[in-house]
Amino acid sequence: MIPASVRADLRRWASDGTPYIVGGTIVASLGAYVFQVIGARALGAAAFDPVSALLTVHFLVFSVLLLPVEQFEIRRVTLGRSGGLVAVAGVIAAGALGACAFTFFARNVYFAGDTTYVFIGFVTVAGNAVMALARGRLAGVRRFRAYGLVSGVVATVRVLLAVAFLEWAATGPSVGWALALAPFVVLAWLPFRRGAAPGAPRQEEGAGRFLSGFVLASAASQVLLLLAPIAVGLITDEAGLMSRVFVTFQLFRLPIVMTQNLMARLLPPFTSLAAAGREDLLRRWVLRFAMGAAVLTPIAAVGGGFLGPAVVRLLFGAEFEPSWQVAALSAAGAVLAAVSLLAGQVLVARGRTMLLAAAWVVGFAVAVASLIPSFESPGVRVSQSFVLGEAAALAAILAFALRRPRPAEQ
């Protein structure tokens, strides 16, 4: 029996644009796979290597630096505050500089010596920064339908540009430019237009501490997600095992990818609740997340162990098929990570991103400590480490979120 409060939330979400966020997320996820398949098939494995490196840089910059910018913008707009532009510009500049520096100095290692990728890297960060700020503005004013459409349309345009550019020149930079230019489509929704005439001076929103904590939390969570494939290479030289673990973890990333967009749906109302001092409702949501993790994690483990190896074999070939234990643990850990991201929105809504960072650091420390030698195979050991780390991070996030903030923290 679904509680009345949950039914009321579901009815409200069904009519406020939330289905567009869900649909846009699904389209974006499928579009990302199609984009990679088109590029890989057109270029071949060797020529696609630079694109793979560019995609990795794009993913890390967006997840670690630009997603916090989007979340800051959502919170700032929801609260009707001003300021924070210097700190936001600093984060974006750091992302652009880091991407350009990496693509330049590693051009002979990862980018076939082609300096074109330096310019592509810069435009990629710039485009995604515009999209992050625009989506933050859209979610902050609760244009959830537009937010969902942006996610789906950008992914679709990226695929169409890749097809068009590859027809013109079947090269890695053609795929790279499709990746870089697609996010600018967000400007078609006019996200930066003024919603109202300027009134009384608004309270400034301090961005430094918020962004510092969120960036640290994002970095720790992403390193935890990447830990298993890297750790395999450190503890064993078994041929092919790193690839099997990598593609298995990539397969089960879908809950995490979907969660990143759903965060934008939760943060505005959570921020309003935190500002109004409605801690009872926020704590109720935290308990819902805890219950969701308790129910969904075992289901994911069973489903992942039963279906995961066959799906990986179907998509990537028999040589990439993981053991059922690795598949089960990967699926369970992905669910824990997704719930952690959602529950962490309570801390973000309160502006307590340093506590969020501390929780993810705890999870990372537990994961590393659990890598000590055991009787399990290397693949199972690193997968267990991933699950334990995600469980520890979630437990810490729930504990911090359930704690009643002191008046000075609200």
Side-chain angles (χ1 to χ4, degrees):
M1 187 68 175
I2 302 176
S5 60
V6 176
R7 292 199 302 270
D9 288 334
L10 292 175
R11 285 195 298 268
R12 185 173 65 256
W13 293 354
S15 61
D16 68 359
T18 300
Y20 283 87
I21 292 182
V22 176
T25 299
I26 294 173
V27 171
S29 301
L30 294 175
Y33 281 114
V34 172
F35 177 79
Q36 294 179 51
V37 168
I38 289 174
R41 288 183 178 274
L43 301 177
F48 193 68
D49 278 348
V51 180
S52 298
L54 181 67
L55 286 168
T56 301
V57 172
H58 153 71
F59 172 77
L60 289 175
V61 171
F62 187 84
S63 298
V64 175
L65 296 177
L66 298 183
L67 188 59
V69 166
E70 179 178 308
Q71 295 266 287
F72 171 79
E73 184 69 2
I74 292 173
R75 188 172 185 272
R76 185 187 70 81
V77 173
T78 298
L79 295 174
R81 293 178 178 175
S82 62
L85 295 180
V86 173
V88 168
V91 171
I92 295 173
L97 180 62
C100 290
F102 177 80
T103 50
F104 178 77
F105 290 109
R107 64 190 184 282
N108 293 322
V109 178
Y110 295 108
F111 299 99
D114 191 345
T115 55
T116 304
Y117 286 101
V118 177
F119 301 101
I120 295 174
F122 176 82
V123 178
T124 298
V125 175
N128 279 280
V130 170
M131 186 174 71
L133 288 168
R135 293 201 312 180
R137 180 68 62 88
L138 292 173
V141 296
R142 309 207 178 195
R143 292 176 62 188
F144 298 128
R145 176 177 177 176
Y147 185 101
L149 288 172
V150 165
S151 300
V153 170
V154 167
T156 303
V157 168
R158 185 182 295 126
V159 170
L160 295 176
L161 287 177
V163 172
F165 291 171
L166 284 169
E167 282 292 320
W168 177 61
T171 64
S174 294
V175 182
W177 282 119
L179 175 72
L181 296 176
F184 289 103
V185 174
V186 72
L187 296 175
W189 277 265
L190 303 176
F192 302 111
R193 65 186 178 189
R194 288 188 177 274
R202 296 179 294 172
Q203 179 182 352
E204 287 218 2
E205 176 73 355
R209 185 176 179 83
F210 180 95
L211 287 173
S212 297
F214 209 146
V215 167
L216 179 57
S218 298
S221 66
Q222 292 306 317
V223 171
L224 183 55
L225 287 172
L226 297 171
L227 178 64
I230 295 173
V232 166
L234 296 176
I235 65 179
T236 183
D237 57 358
E238 180 182 339
L241 180 57
M242 183 183 295
S243 294
R244 290 197 294 274
V245 173
F246 177 78
V247 299
T248 302
F249 273 67
Q250 285 292 103
L251 176 66
F252 290 112
R253 286 184 63 87
L254 183 58
I256 302 170
V257 174
M258 293 190 67
T259 299
Q260 288 181 332
N261 280 353
L262 292 176
M263 286 159 53
R265 174 60 185 86
L266 293 178
L267 185 54
F270 282 6
T271 299
S272 297
L273 289 174
R278 294 303 308 273
E279 292 298 325
D280 54 330
L281 293 179
L282 288 176
R283 286 164 61 87
R284 186 182 304 170
W285 272 102
V286 175
L287 293 175
R288 288 178 182 176
F289 293 134
M291 184 178 300
V295 172
L296 295 176
T297 302
I299 296 175
V302 173
F306 184 70
L307 297 175
V311 174
V312 172
R313 183 175 64 248
L314 176 66
L315 294 177
F316 296 96
E319 62 181 328
F320 289 95
E321 182 178 348
S323 67
W324 71 267
Q325 297 100 320
V326 170
L329 291 167
S330 300
V335 169
L336 290 171
V339 176
S340 295
L341 292 174
L342 293 176
Q345 293 301 282
V346 173
L347 295 176
V348 176
R350 294 172 180 158
R352 304 294 290 167
T353 56
M354 284 297 180
L355 287 178
L356 185 63
W360 281 110
V361 170
V362 167
F364 177 73
V366 169
V368 172
S370 63
L371 280 173
I372 58 176
S374 70
F375 295 108
E376 301 290 352
S377 67
V380 174
R381 191 199 309 176
V382 298
S383 300
Q384 286 178 341
S385 170
F386 169 63
V387 171
L388 291 173
E390 293 292 351
L394 176 58
I397 289 171
L398 293 174
F400 289 144
L402 285 172
R403 192 187 74 178
R404 291 190 178 276
R406 296 185 296 271
E409 296 178 358
Q410 296 181 356

